[in-house]
Amino acid sequence: MQRFKFSSLNLRGRMMLASVVLLAITMLSPSATLPRRVFDWFFVLDITQSMNVRDYTLDGKSISRLELSKKAMREALRDLPCGSTVALGMFTERGTQNIVRPLEVCAHFSALDQTIDHMDWRMAWAADSFITHGVLSGIEQAAKLGPDVYLAFFTDGHQAPPSNPDYLPKFEGKPGEVGGILVGTGKEELSRIPKLDEHDNIIGYWELEEVMRFATFGMFTSKSVHEMEKDMEVEEDDDGLNRRNASHGRNPAEDTKANLSGLNEKELKQLAETTGLKYKRLDAPHGFARDATATGMATWRSGKTDLRPWFALPALLLILAFFMPPRFFDFVQQHLRFKKR
């Protein structure tokens, strides 16, 4: 029986043998613990009804701010490298609610993707939308999730009822201590806010008489229950109305466009500047994915790294080279002989 010698193979044979060895190693699923660049995000979605305005166009069809935001979040999820983590939250009324704790994106991709897909305006636990409260609440939640967690807050900035500047909460943190992006959704042009049925078909639009169009004093404060009760006792008008929940002043200014909604970019930029967040307008789904995987948002962390691509790619190149014409191999062999001389 003749003994096999590697030196007896021509260049093409050696390439094929090398590719088989590399593929065999790939089948063993090699891995190693290596430092790598990862990302930790807290995605928060505004689910108030103004996000149902369909002022985007995608593939020739009108699409709502809510749906485009969800597509942007899902695309970013696909682009994040293994080892990255994503937490999910929703905003309505005055608070941001964390619904999914940070999960590793590769091991839990399906769960995260499906959760985002099923986020819905029907999940709102109140109809109001106090944007400043929501963003500050989101920053607070992100800080609790971890020191390296960035916040991505998707909102059109629509305030309902109109805000009373004297009663807006103040940001008491350090600007930029929690980093991230305030993502502005929608167009600046005002559009009617639709009413939807159970199948998300538009069955009408909110009229001015149906929405709150006066700023109220009914803002959350950090006062104790005793202090609040005391305020309620002394802050009654002559007609018996509690000023905390009454309209702003005896002759409040009316917002005659309260039933319309457009991207409130000015207010969102100001809020981003105050908190140290970056402001980005959402124009297309892939735009946010680029921002979410930017170098400035990365964290270096050691973790299990899949080495299969490092072996599979060279194997693929060798297999492709195997099918090159004979003249290619003659040229390579002549070149190698010339170098040896």
Side-chain angles (χ1 to χ4, degrees):
M1 184 175 178
Q2 189 174 4
R3 189 175 180 182
F4 171 77
K5 291 184 179 180
F6 180 77
S7 58
S8 64
L9 295 174
N10 58 19
L11 181 60
R12 179 175 289 189
R14 294 177 183 179
M15 293 172 68
M16 181 53 69
L17 179 60
S19 66
V20 171
V21 172
L22 289 172
L23 288 175
I25 297 174
T26 303
M27 295 295 290
L28 298 174
S29 299
S31 62
T33 301
L34 301 172
R36 56 182 173 177
R37 192 176 65 175
V38 296
F39 303 85
D40 301 306
W41 279 102
F42 179 33
F43 293 164
V44 176
L45 181 63
D46 181 346
I47 58 171
T48 56
Q49 292 198 43
S50 64
M51 291 290 284
N52 290 328
V53 173
R54 298 176 183 178
D55 53 1
Y56 282 112
T57 301
L58 186 66
D59 298 329
K61 296 181 180 180
S62 296
I63 185 173
S64 70
R65 302 166 185 172
L66 185 72
E67 288 302 319
L68 193 75
S69 298
K70 287 161 60 173
K71 287 182 181 294
M73 293 164 67
R74 295 175 73 184
E75 283 207 15
L77 192 64
R78 295 185 185 98
D79 287 356
L80 291 171
C82 291
S84 302
T85 64
V86 167
L88 300 176
M90 296 187 298
F91 158 73
T92 188
E93 197 192 22
R94 297 177 176 86
T96 293
Q97 183 66 44
N98 175 216
I99 60 172
V100 176
R101 303 289 293 178
L103 296 176
E104 200 276 329
V105 294
C106 288
H108 303 279
F109 176 83
S110 180
L112 289 167
D113 187 63
Q114 289 299 310
T115 302
I116 293 173
D117 186 45
H118 286 87
M119 285 182 177
D120 191 78
W121 61 274
R122 298 174 184 84
M123 297 177 178
W125 50 91
D128 294 344
S129 176
F130 296 98
I131 299 299
T132 302
H133 292 73
V135 173
L136 299 188
S137 175
I139 291 174
E140 182 181 351
Q141 292 285 338
K144 293 178 180 178
L145 293 174
D148 299 320
V149 174
Y150 287 88
L151 172 67
F153 197 106
F154 291 79
T155 181
D156 53 16
H158 181 81
Q159 181 81 21
S163 61
N164 179 348
D166 294 334
Y167 282 78
L168 289 178
K170 304 298 182 183
F171 178 60
E172 298 179 353
K174 180 181 178 182
E177 187 172 10
V178 174
I181 307 172
L182 193 53
V183 185
T185 64
K187 308 299 181 184
E188 290 186 85
E189 296 77 14
L190 295 177
S191 301
R192 293 188 295 173
I193 303 174
K195 297 178 181 179
L196 305 180
D197 64 12
E198 64 272 18
H199 302 295
D200 284 343
N201 297 313
I202 297 177
I203 57 175
Y205 295 90
W206 290 100
E207 301 297 336
L208 186 60
E209 295 77 17
E210 298 177 293
V211 301
M212 177 70 77
R213 53 191 187 274
F214 301 102
T216 68
F217 287 94
M219 301 285 187
F220 174 80
T221 67
S222 59
K223 292 183 178 181
S224 67
V225 174
H226 175 72
E227 290 174 317
M228 291 176 67
E229 289 177 346
K230 185 177 180 181
D231 288 344
M232 291 172 68
E233 290 176 0
V234 300
E235 292 187 357
E236 287 191 354
D237 292 326
D238 295 337
D239 55 5
L241 285 176
N242 180 359
R243 286 181 54 211
R244 182 177 181 273
N245 297 315
S247 300
H248 185 189
R250 294 185 178 275
N251 297 296
E254 178 183 1
D255 183 355
T256 58
K257 298 180 180 179
N259 63 320
L260 305 177
S261 176
L263 171 60
N264 194 348
E265 194 164 57
K266 179 181 177 181
E267 295 297 328
L268 291 179
K269 284 183 176 179
Q270 182 177 350
L271 188 54
E273 183 178 355
T274 301
T275 58
L277 298 173
K278 295 181 179 180
Y279 173 78
K280 296 282 186 177
R281 181 188 287 200
L282 182 64
D283 294 317
H286 57 270
F288 172 68
R290 289 196 299 267
D291 294 328
T293 55
T295 304
M297 302 293 182
T299 300
W300 284 93
R301 186 165 59 237
S302 295
K304 186 178 180 181
T305 303
D306 187 0
L307 299 180
R308 286 179 296 179
W310 295 90
F311 294 97
L313 182 59
L316 177 61
L317 295 175
L318 289 172
I319 292 173
L320 293 175
F322 178 82
F323 293 99
M324 294 293 288
R327 287 179 298 175
F328 170 77
F329 294 97
D330 293 339
F331 172 78
V332 173
Q333 287 179 333
Q334 290 177 4
H335 184 70
L336 292 174
R337 291 195 194 103
F338 178 78
K339 278 200 166 185
K340 287 181 179 179
R341 295 176 183 174

